[in-house]
Structure formats: C-alpha cells, structure tokens
Amino acid sequence: MPTGHSPHIPELLATLRGWVEAEVIRALDLALTRFVAEQSGETDEAVLLAVVLASERNGHGHVCLDLQGVLSNPTLLLGPPREDPQRAARVREELALRLRGLALADWIERLARSPAVCDWLGTQTDDGLSPLVLAGSAAQPLLYLRRYWQYERRIRDGIQARLERPIEVDPVALRNQLDAIFGSNPDSSPDGADWQRIACALAARSAFFIITGGPGTGKTTTVVRLLALLQGLSAATGAPPLRIELAAPTGKAAARLTESIAAQVSHLAGHQASERNIPTQVKTLHRLLGSIPNSRRFRHHGAHPLQADVVVVDEASMVDVELMARLLDALRPDARLILLGDKDQLSSVEAGAVLGDLCQRAARAHYRPAIVDWIATVAGQQIPRTLIDAAGTALDQAVVMLRTSYRFSPHGGIGALAALVNAATPSPPVDRLSAALALFNTDARSPDSGRGRIAAQRLSDPMDQAFKTLLLEGLDGEEGYLRLMRTQAPPQAADRTVLDAWAKRLLLAQKQFQLLTPLRQGVWGGEGLNQRIIELLRGQGVLAIDSVHPAQQRHWFAGRPVLVTRNDYVLNLMNGDIGLTLSVPVSGTRHDTPERVLRVAFPTVDGGVRWVLPSRLQDVETVFAMTVHKSQGSEFSHALLVLPDQPNPVLTRELLYTAITRAKQRFTLLYTNDAVLDAALERRIQRVSGLQLESTPHAESRVI
C-alpha cells in the first residue's frame, strides 16, 4: 500500500459498498467513513480504512480499534457473513491486501496528521471537534470514535476520584459491626478466608467497590450485609440513615434482585434498625437515571445528580460503557458506587466490557501488605500469601472476588462444568473437550441433584426426537407452564384476584425451563427455533388452534411467551421483561355473554401482575427459545442450550459459561458436531478497550 495520500478514495468507497453487500460491515460503518472523507477532506486511504474498521469493531462490542492487533491478526476483523462464505473470503483477502506493507509507526503518524483525528496519544490535547481520537499507549495505540473515548474518560475519572477519596472508618466500630452481622465464627472458604466478611470490611472504607463471583457465591447476601453494616456505622456516628438506591440493567434482573434482597433482609436477625433502612425495591438503571423518551439523555446528570448516598448495581457485567458513564455522571461526588456481578459472564450487548476490564486482576487479588494487616485487625481474616502484592493498584484494593459456591459442588455437575469452561488453563492440564464430555458422562452414571445435574445429547438433525422430547418435557410436562395453563384454567366467572393468582403460577412455572441459543437467526437461531417449536407444539396439540386469536393468528396465541425488546415507559415495561399470553374470560359484550380474549401477563416488582392488550405491545419477540445474551439476569431451574451445526465466532467460553450458569438445578447441552463444541470451548472474547490498560500497573502510576 502506498505511504502517501491516495487519489483513489472513490474506489475505496466502492470496495466498502461491496463489503456492506457481503454483510461483513454495516451500512453505518460505510456512512461514517464517507462522512469523514467528505467533511474533513481526508484523502489518505490508510486513515479511512482505520475509520471503517474502528466503526466495524464498535458494532461488535469493542470500544476502540487496536491498531497493532489489526496488523498482527487481520483475520479477527469483519463480522461473520450470513451467507456466501466464498464472497466473505474474498473480502478478507481485499482487507489483507490493503493492510499489506502498512507499518504501525507509519499508520500512527498518518492518523495523527489527519484533520479527522485528535492525536491524544502524542499531544495530550483535545480539539473537541474531531470525530476520532488516537489514544492508548505507545505499545498499544488505540483509535476511538470520539463518543466512546469520552465515555471511557468519564468512567476512569469517576472511579479514580472515588478511589482517591478513602473513607475514614473507626476500626473498633467496624469490627463490632462485622461481628454482630456475621457472628464470631466466620464461614471460611477452602483457603481459610471469609471473603464475604472481607468484602464488607473493604467496601466500608471505599467510595467505589466491586463484589464479583460466580453463581451461588453469595453476592446478594454479601451486599445486604454490607448495606446493614453501612447503616449501622452511620447510626453509630449519629448521622441520619443513608439513602440507598438499588438498580439493575434490565427489568427481569431488577425483579430477580428485588426477590433476593427481600429474602436476605428478612434474615438479618437482630438488626431491626438497619433492616428498616435497607430498600427492597430495585429499579432498572434507565428508570433510576430518569430516561427521557426518544433520546439518549437522562434527567439525572452532573448538574442534576441523584440524591442517593449509596448506589448498588447488580448484574454489572451487562452495563456498557455509555450507561456506566451516564451513571457515574449522575452520582454526587460524595456518593458511593457498589457494583455486583460475575466478571466471567458475557459482556454487554452494546460496546464495552466494563466489569470484566475492572476485574481482570481479581482472581489474584493483589492486596497491599498494609491492607492485609488492616483486614486482619478489623475483620480477623488472614489473606493467603499468594494474593498479596506490594505493587497492587488502588483499584485492586477495591475489588473482592467471592470464591466459594454455596449452590454447586466443585467436584461435579454444574459447578464443575462451569469451572472447566471458565478456567484459563484447566487443572490438571487436559483437553477441554475431552474433560467436558467426561464430566457429562460421569454425571450421567451418578446424577447428584445436590450439585446440579448436567447432561449432553448429540442431535442428528434439527428435529431430532431427543430435541422434541426435552422440549415437550420442559414446556408441557407435569410442571410445564403450558400444561398448567390448560389444566388450571380459571372458570368463566373468575374475578381479577383469581386471574392474577393463575397468571402468577404460570409465570413462575415458565421460569422453570428455558431453551437457549447462541444465535438470533438461522435454523439454530432464536427466530428459526421459535418457529419450529410453535409448529411442534401445535402438531402435538399443546397449542390448540382454537386458542389462537382469529384476528392475529400469525402472531398472538395463548401460551406465547414474549420478551420486551425496548423500554416502554407508557406501559411501564422495560427491555428484558418477560410476559405470557393468556386466554382470559371477559364479559360485557353486546349480548352480555362471557367470552375469552387474549391478554399478556407481566410480573411486577411488588409481586403482582400487570395485564396488557397484545395490540399495545409493539417491541416484543417470542421466547420459547431465547438467545444466551438475553438470558443474562435470569435463572432457570432447567436451562437447555442448543448449539448450531457449524462454527461461528459468537461461540465462546464466555457464552457457554453464561448459559451453564443460568441453570439452578439442571443443565442440558444439545449439539451436533464435536468440532463446533471444541472450538467454542477454546475461543475467548477479547473486547478491546482502554480500561484494560488503566487497570494494570504501568509507568504513569494511575490508580486504576
């Protein structure tokens, strides 16, 4: 590729149009590149190629473009095409040709000269206008779309300001409170430490804190105890109760946390004063921040902050960079922020992996010796020597990973399978596929419901009998919600109380079983699977044809589970809420004779039911089968994951881990091809962001 400016920009744009047609980049990526070329007068092909790649990577969840990574491994770029793999291969050859001969130093120099790029990497000044920003470090230069660079800076600044403001705590009062809440006999993990107690102690002294851990490690239990501790410490100083807000990214995550918090608060024996000041209602983050309809803005921001003293966010792995930046903007400077989540789950659908970036050193802790001594004094806990690091960052001291699962055994079942999939290197070192299949086989010989049953079944085709059997068992078995819908249908004269009780039973039953898929489209994707399941259930007589609303036969029928895909503030429904379509009796027709109509029942955070007309639901989709991404924040008694028969870049260890850990009692894997499963077990998601650089020690000695 020539090192100077090229006069062939129209030819480059024509090539990019071909890439859009091949579905390896978006029309949006091309539009941005054309905008930069036209508005800034940019004529350097190397710059415009960087623009389209930065936009393309952003569409796949990356906050920025790793320039060195592009040159080292360009095959990781460009999205997977839906069809025509030969055309996609030609596109990748075109990309490789355009990158050939381009040196990193030359690329950086040309980007730095561009009027479309702010050279923050070199000048550390911001013109405030250029649509792209060159930042990162000399060893890892990063190219950002300006908006995402600004989000990262606001996140970094908001966290750093809190880490630089340690909170003074009376060590005697803290130890007394910890003993009162936890008791004098710590519940230690295999390494001898009570990590829940340690988390509460460290969080008491920090204005920013993260509690991470896998399923069943007690994150909710820990945060309720932490809130009781903070209220107790506040009361001991004569201060008024802290104003606490609880939030989660989606409606279903908020509903689940509401249930969990209420249950844990009721167990706080002997802490009535603290208990009364711990909220049990959880809001979605959008509702907490005051989302303004049809805009990206919120009512709460730096000039109009939230009045909360403490904000707790659950399922923080689902929070993207934009929403995290908005949250930090909306906090008062003296407010505490506490994040809960599993660092190893899938990241947000939108760009960023904030929790994963901030927790990348959590497993080894890196606690400073002074902090270790302080923990021993106030919490009576000894930190293992392998987790002590004199060079630990300020962020390291504000993260605790809970290490003991109280739900699953590490020796088999769901817990062992999740650990194997998630491990950086299996111990002892083994072939991951062979080890996974061995776990399935061992569980099949000696199932133990106490550690979560696991099973794997190979399918011969998309309508394999094993697939049908499992679906009918989960949806229409003895405890299946479709059977309960038919056998427990309320009488024609049932009143609202009876209908609500029936709907609540069905909504609870619906959460017992869920089919999960990695893909949205295709035969093995959510769209294809949902259509096949509907046909199967109708063919089996489970979905009776006369239960279909005549005017909307193609879309609405009794038994249809639906997931809300966009916040609807008029209906008070949030993205992620799940409802059930039910046939309910009504009266008041012109002949005054009762009839049955379709209504969709949604659970409310206070344990009630909201009924909605199907015609009012514009942004919903059927979820007999649900994508793994959309299952985050949910738990099911039995989670059934079906893998496609061809490799796909979305199949990763994070996806498998997330699917496995949606199951509380039983996990079943359906797959057709060992090679597909093997590739998924070996592939990790590597989202690029600048927070990764800032959360590890380097010469600038930042606190994160």
Side-chain angles (χ1 to χ4, degrees), residues 408 412-414 443 448-454 664-666:
F408 302 125
I414 291 173
D443 208 68
D448 177 5
S449 60
R451 63 190 186 191
R453 293 168 53 197
I454 59 174
K664 293 191 294 184
Q665 299 173 6
R666 182 180 174 192

Side-chain angles (χ1 to χ4, degrees), residues 172-194:
V172 175
L174 177 56
R175 177 146 197 168
N176 290 340
Q177 290 284 339
L178 288 170
D179 287 343
I181 293 170
F182 284 88
S184 56
N185 296 315
D187 184 10
S188 62
S189 63
D191 61 17
D194 183 343

Side-chain angles (χ1 to χ4, degrees), residues 294-314:
N294 303 316
S295 79
R296 305 180 78 99
R297 295 180 293 114
F298 294 92
R299 283 189 289 274
H300 290 290
H301 45 74
H304 182 217
L306 292 163
Q307 292 306 300
D309 301 304
V310 181
V311 173
V312 177
V313 179
D314 193 25

Side-chain angles (χ1 to χ4, degrees), residues 558-679:
R560 180 193 181 194
V562 295
L563 179 138
V564 177
T565 59
R566 183 179 298 178
N567 294 341
D568 188 326
Y569 296 97
V570 175
L571 296 177
N572 197 27
L573 294 174
M574 297 292 111
N575 181 13
D577 287 348
I578 294 178
L580 284 180
T581 311
L582 302 174
S583 178
V584 298
V586 296
S587 58
T589 64
R590 61 179 179 174
H591 298 294
D592 214 25
T593 57
E595 62 178 22
R596 301 184 82 86
V597 298
L598 294 180
R599 296 290 184 269
V600 185
F602 289 91
T604 60
V605 293
D606 60 0
V609 174
R610 177 183 297 109
W611 296 91
V612 181
L613 283 167
S615 60
R616 299 192 67 189
L617 295 169
Q618 302 302 310
D619 297 298
V620 295
E621 60 185 40
T622 304
V623 283
F624 285 115
M626 178 189 298
T627 62
V628 177
H629 256 113
K630 291 183 177 178
S631 74
Q632 289 181 266
S634 299
E635 288 182 339
F636 311 101
S637 295
H638 182 191
L640 174 66
L641 174 66
V642 57
L643 295 183
D645 56 356
Q646 296 296 322
N648 191 295
V650 305
L651 300 179
T652 63
R653 282 157 54 191
E654 288 86 352
L655 182 137
L656 294 177
Y657 173 82
T658 301
I660 293 164
T661 54
R662 297 312 89 208
K664 293 191 294 184
Q665 299 173 6
R666 182 180 174 192
F667 172 77
T668 303
L669 173 68
L670 300 181
Y671 69 107
T672 61
N673 189 329
D674 277 0
V676 172
L677 177 57
D678 187 32

Side-chain angles (χ1 to χ4, degrees), residues 72-85:
S72 300
N73 198 349
T75 59
L76 296 179
L77 301 171
L78 306 183
R82 297 179 188 174
E83 298 177 356
D84 198 353

Side-chain angles (χ1 to χ4, degrees), residues 335-670:
R336 298 176 187 249
L337 177 60
I338 299 166
L339 303 181
L340 305 180
D342 187 341
K343 66 182 178 64
D344 298 311
Q345 275 190 194
L346 280 170
S347 302
S348 57
V349 176
E350 302 299 330
V354 179
L355 187 73
D357 288 343
L358 296 175
C359 292
Q360 58 184 315
R361 287 161 55 90
R364 295 298 300 273
H366 301 278
Y367 295 133
R368 297 169 182 163
I371 289 293
V372 171
D373 292 342
W374 184 85
I375 291 171
T377 299
V378 302
Q381 297 296 300
Q382 299 299 318
I383 300 295
R385 293 183 60 186
T386 55
L387 305 183
I388 302 173
D389 179 4
T393 66
L395 177 62
D396 293 332
Q397 319 311 304
V399 179
V400 163
M401 187 174 85
L402 305 181
R403 299 163 189 263
T404 302
S405 175
Y406 299 95
R407 183 184 304 166
F408 302 125
S409 164
H411 305 297
I414 291 173
L417 181 63
L420 172 68
V421 169
N422 193 43
T425 303
S427 180
V430 292
D431 173 68
R432 214 182 293 261
L433 175 63
S434 299
L437 295 178
L439 278 174
F440 283 119
N441 291 333
T442 300
D443 208 68
R445 292 194 299 269
S446 57
D448 177 5
S449 60
R451 63 190 186 191
R453 293 168 53 197
I454 59 174
Q457 177 75 50
R458 290 194 62 159
L459 302 180
S460 57
D461 60 69
M463 290 307 286
D464 190 292
Q465 185 58 45
F467 179 63
K468 297 179 180 179
T469 300
L470 283 164
L471 276 175
L472 290 172
E473 173 195 327
L475 296 172
D476 198 49
E478 185 175 344
E479 300 297 327
Y481 83 89
L482 290 177
R483 176 173 295 193
L484 297 178
M485 182 184 72
R486 297 193 312 275
T487 61
Q488 297 184 8
Q492 195 70 37
D495 61 16
R496 174 65 182 270
T497 303
V498 173
L499 293 178
D500 284 358
W502 175 58
K504 287 167 66 174
R505 288 196 299 274
L506 296 183
L507 288 165
L508 181 62
Q510 191 273 333
K511 294 194 296 184
Q512 303 309 300
F513 172 83
Q514 183 63 56
L515 175 65
L516 303 175
T517 172
L519 309 176
R520 282 187 54 83
Q521 298 168 324
V523 175
W524 297 101
E527 294 177 3
L529 285 170
N530 276 305
Q531 188 56 46
R532 282 161 45 204
I533 292 168
I534 291 170
E535 293 168 358
L536 168 64
L537 295 175
R538 285 178 175 166
Q540 295 288 322
V542 174
L543 294 177
I545 193 70
D546 61 3
S547 70
V548 180
H549 193 290
Q552 298 174 320
Q553 180 168 328
R554 292 182 58 195
H555 301 293
W556 290 103
F557 50 86
R560 180 193 181 194
V562 295
L563 179 138
V564 177
T565 59
R566 183 179 298 178
N567 294 341
D568 188 326
Y569 296 97
V570 175
L571 296 177
N572 197 27
L573 294 174
M574 297 292 111
N575 181 13
D577 287 348
I578 294 178
L580 284 180
T581 311
L582 302 174
S583 178
V584 298
V586 296
S587 58
T589 64
R590 61 179 179 174
H591 298 294
D592 214 25
T593 57
E595 62 178 22
R596 301 184 82 86
V597 298
L598 294 180
R599 296 290 184 269
V600 185
F602 289 91
T604 60
V605 293
D606 60 0
V609 174
R610 177 183 297 109
W611 296 91
V612 181
L613 283 167
S615 60
R616 299 192 67 189
L617 295 169
Q618 302 302 310
D619 297 298
V620 295
E621 60 185 40
T622 304
V623 283
F624 285 115
M626 178 189 298
T627 62
V628 177
H629 256 113
K630 291 183 177 178
S631 74
Q632 289 181 266
S634 299
E635 288 182 339
F636 311 101
S637 295
H638 182 191
L640 174 66
L641 174 66
V642 57
L643 295 183
D645 56 356
Q646 296 296 322
N648 191 295
V650 305
L651 300 179
T652 63
R653 282 157 54 191
E654 288 86 352
L655 182 137
L656 294 177
Y657 173 82
T658 301
I660 293 164
T661 54
R662 297 312 89 208
K664 293 191 294 184
Q665 299 173 6
R666 182 180 174 192
F667 172 77
T668 303
L669 173 68
L670 300 181

Side-chain angles (χ1 to χ4, degrees), residues 79-135:
R82 297 179 188 174
E83 298 177 356
D84 198 353
Q86 291 184 344
R87 186 176 188 180
R90 289 197 299 273
V91 167
R92 285 177 168 77
E93 290 175 4
E94 291 174 354
L95 174 62
L97 182 63
R98 290 182 178 278
L99 292 171
R100 192 169 299 154
L102 185 62
L104 180 62
D106 178 44
W107 205 4
I108 293 172
E109 181 181 345
R110 292 160 74 172
L111 285 166
R113 290 200 307 261
S114 172
V117 178
C118 165
D119 181 20
W120 183 261
L121 180 62
T123 65
Q124 295 285 297
T125 59
D126 180 17
D127 59 16
L129 299 173
S130 52
L132 293 105
V133 177
L134 181 63

